[in-house]
Amino acid sequence: MMSLSPPGHRRASRRFPATLAGATVGALVVGLATMPARAESGDGAPVGTVARTAGDARFEPGPCPRTADPIPDLERARCGTLTVPEKHSHRKGRKIILAVAIVPAATSRPAPDPIVWLAGGPGDDAVSEIPMAVSGGLNRDRDVIFMSQRGTYSADPELTCRNVDEFVANSLDLVFGAPSTGRLHVEETRKCREQLVSRGADLSAYNGTESSADYDGLRKALGIRQWNVFGISYGTDLALQYMRLHPKGIRSVGIDGVLPPSLAGGAVTWKAAREGFDSIFKTCAEQPACNTRYPNLKATFERLVVELEARPVTTTVTVPGHPEPVKVTLDGGLLVNWLTFASHLAAGVPRSIDELAHGNPQRIAEQYAGGKLSPQAIGRVSHGLVFGVFCSEWTPFESEADVIRAGRRAFPSFPRSVLANAPLLSWMHADCRAWDIPAAPPSIRAVTRSDIPTLVLSGGFDAQTAPSSGPYAARTLSRSTAVTVPYVAHVVFADSPCAQTITRSFFNAPTAPDTGCLAGLQPPVFEIGT
């Protein structure tokens, strides 16, 4: 099973593989009294410096959260915790604690309406994504608020399961799509479930509906009359739910790498792979040097998927930071998953595919293994939230046969054994049978209809969430601006200065973002091997 964000757990969030973003470390105590005044709460104090209860949510200022890697920006953040019911319908029941970090605006005179960041995954910790937001200048004019979604790394309880991540890292020599591999994976999922239940977690409480209520409670408990929302990857699914369920107090919404709740699942993931792969292949074909050196790249890739599924290839590679050689088995399903992530490094894709076609799987095996063995891939994602979302909001509304049919429409030549596991979602239905939580109400799949100004961003090379899903979501958002940034993979804000410019301009003028930079974008120059 994989998550849908740009790579960082499996991730998500964010790069592939060397640039996989991490989470951050060490509890940093911030001297709140020395913080400069920024956007104010309702009583005139800087947001995040006043304890307040609003409904069933309680905010307390305090130290910044523990993180898996150092995040220097936390040294100037205002931090604290939000305490909410594990289930909002049971206000007197078990409480959970969510970490909050407010990164101040770079300007001395920030706009009064901050931005709240919704992380990808599902299962990624928003606090770990602070470097992405700051490097993109999101806090140039406004404070940016990061809250760990329930169950994530800096929340309490933290519903991570190292055993699942370690299985993925230690099974690279197994045939990716073999039923025996699936059974082993599901067994690790079952162990994860047992661990979390034994710690008292109500696994049915970790989903988008409860998270949406958390964010509504956060806004109120911080005393913010109106704020803006920016969600990436799975965070777009959550943002669309949030603006449908709790629209009050939302000035504008940006969504990047769009996964509409009405489509979320394996079928749309096959569609995304088709669109993202084809965009890379087409861009190569339009460059004479790439087309001459790597003709018929699309057909070559699809042929390799079929051949490797019938006859997997095993090779041994060296992975930076890993002392022992690593054995990797490539089958058709693994090749599909590799390209889904390798779209973030599109310039090298044709060369890698060509080398594989000529009997050299090293580059692909090294990249794939590097991502799975990275420290950022172990122990950081909340499997409690991953499966809480997948198993209540996705799989009950899409059968395994639906996934296969969608895969066959997108890739008619692929064998059924490949089509059964949509990219990044391997063994999802079997995992969810083991997870055993109730389905969400059918309303969870409702299309979001809203007149809140919305920026809808997609990447032309996005093989994780379909580029066409952006315009799809925008159709029922009456004051939306839909933008596709060409030549960029999943979550364009992370990689594209143009997307960053558009996003910042949107929050300053939500009905008239400046998209002028799109006209000057150029495709990558593809690597040409000897």
Side-chain angles (χ1 to χ4, degrees):
M1 162 92 53
M2 305 193 80
S3 134
L4 281 174
S5 293
H9 143 58
R10 341 197 220 215
R11 196 198 141 126
S13 269
R14 299 355 79 166
R15 298 314 87 226
F16 173 91
T19 46
L20 297 187
T24 8
V25 187
L28 301 172
V29 178
V30 175
L32 296 174
T34 64
M35 294 301 300
R38 294 295 182 184
E40 295 182 347
S41 62
D43 52 14
V47 168
T49 61
V50 176
R52 183 186 283 106
T53 298
D56 58 15
R58 171 72 177 173
F59 177 78
E60 293 274 0
C64 287
R66 77 181 187 111
T67 58
D69 299 309
I71 296 184
D73 293 297
L74 283 176
E75 295 176 11
R76 58 195 181 95
R78 303 188 294 276
C79 296
T81 58
L82 187 78
T83 302
V84 294
E86 188 174 39
K87 276 198 167 178
H88 286 275
S89 59
H90 301 141
R91 295 185 60 178
K92 296 186 183 301
R94 185 179 193 237
K95 299 294 192 291
I96 61 175
I97 299 172
L98 310 178
V100 178
I102 303 170
V103 175
T107 179
S108 60
R109 301 181 65 85
D113 46 291
I115 299 169
V116 62
W117 177 280
L118 305 188
D124 294 337
D125 190 339
V127 176
S128 73
E129 297 177 353
I130 288 174
M132 188 201 312
V134 173
S135 66
L138 195 64
N139 68 319
R140 188 179 68 179
D141 303 310
R142 287 171 170 77
D143 292 356
V144 183
I145 301 169
F146 301 83
M147 181 174 73
S148 54
Q149 290 174 34
R150 48 180 50 218
T152 57
Y153 186 88
S154 61
D156 183 10
E158 164 207 349
L159 304 186
T160 58
C161 288
R162 288 185 65 92
N163 69 293
V164 175
D165 303 328
E166 289 170 347
F167 171 77
V168 172
N170 295 330
S171 63
L172 294 171
D173 61 328
L174 302 181
V175 176
F176 179 87
S180 56
T181 303
R183 287 190 292 272
L184 292 171
H185 187 279
V186 172
E187 182 56 32
E188 296 301 327
T189 298
R190 189 173 287 108
K191 291 178 185 176
C192 171
R193 184 188 195 282
E194 291 169 357
Q195 293 170 28
L196 302 185
V197 170
S198 71
R199 286 154 46 190
D202 180 346
L203 300 183
S204 68
Y206 294 82
N207 54 54
T209 299
E210 298 288 353
S211 290
S212 294
D214 294 342
Y215 282 99
D216 186 55
L218 176 66
R219 181 185 64 80
K220 294 171 181 175
L222 288 175
I224 297 170
R225 185 183 68 83
Q226 190 176 60
W227 67 5
N228 307 279
V229 177
F230 189 62
I232 64 165
S233 192
Y234 164 71
T236 68
D237 180 320
L238 179 57
L240 289 164
Q241 288 192 50
Y242 173 43
M243 63 195 292
R244 178 172 61 84
L245 296 171
H246 303 281
K248 187 175 180 180
I250 301 177
R251 171 180 175 263
S252 69
V253 176
I255 50 177
D256 179 358
V258 182
L259 184 67
S262 56
L263 298 180
V268 76
T269 308
W270 275 123
K271 190 172 189 286
R274 177 79 281 170
E275 293 180 16
F277 295 175
D278 280 357
S279 186
I280 294 172
F281 298 149
K282 180 175 182 289
T283 304
C284 172
E286 290 171 347
Q287 290 185 17
C290 189
N291 189 50
T292 298
R293 180 64 182 81
Y294 310 117
N296 304 314
L297 192 62
K298 175 179 176 179
T300 300
F301 172 75
E302 295 185 7
R303 172 178 58 80
L304 288 169
V305 170
V306 174
E307 291 178 355
L308 285 172
E309 190 67 8
R311 294 178 298 279
V313 170
T314 299
T315 188
T316 300
V317 299
T318 301
V319 175
H322 198 270
E324 301 296 327
V326 178
K327 188 179 291 186
V328 180
T329 299
L330 283 74
D331 68 351
L334 185 143
L335 186 59
V336 171
N337 278 267
W338 164 79
L339 184 51
T340 303
F341 279 146
S343 58
H344 289 278
L345 300 174
V349 161
R351 180 180 177 183
S352 296
I353 292 173
D354 181 72
E355 288 184 3
L356 178 61
H358 287 86
N360 182 2
Q362 294 297 108
R363 279 165 59 97
I364 290 176
E366 287 171 0
Q367 287 185 341
Y368 191 81
K372 301 306 174 188
L373 293 168
S374 166
Q376 286 87 356
I378 308 294
R380 302 192 183 185
V381 82
S382 169
H383 292 280
L385 184 55
V386 170
F387 292 123
V389 170
F390 287 176
C391 304
S392 68
E393 300 178 4
W394 296 14
T395 60
F397 305 97
E398 177 184 73
S399 70
E400 291 166 283
D402 291 333
V403 174
I404 292 171
R405 279 192 292 269
R408 187 162 288 126
R409 284 194 299 271
F411 297 94
S413 69
F414 286 3
R416 189 182 189 281
S417 57
V418 172
L419 301 178
N421 285 312
L424 316 186
L425 300 174
S426 303
W427 318 112
M428 180 170 65
H429 281 80
D431 278 333
C432 283
R433 286 190 288 271
W435 205 249
D436 190 25
I437 57 173
S443 59
I444 201 72
R445 305 289 286 189
V447 171
T448 299
R449 301 180 185 278
S450 177
D451 62 358
I452 297 172
T454 306
L455 176 65
V456 183
L457 289 169
S458 302
F461 285 175
D462 187 351
Q464 293 174 247
T465 57
S468 63
S469 290
Y472 167 89
R475 292 184 309 174
T476 54
L477 305 173
S478 62
R479 300 173 71 197
S480 63
T481 302
V483 174
T484 298
V485 181
Y487 319 125
V488 185
H490 186 54
V491 181
V492 294
F493 184 86
D495 287 329
S496 168
C498 179
Q500 294 163 2
T501 297
I502 293 170
T503 303
R504 293 191 301 264
S505 74
F506 167 76
F507 287 121
N508 287 332
T511 57
D514 181 2
T515 61
C517 60
L518 292 169
L521 297 180
Q522 297 295 318
V525 177
F526 291 97
E527 297 175 17
I528 305 298
T530 55

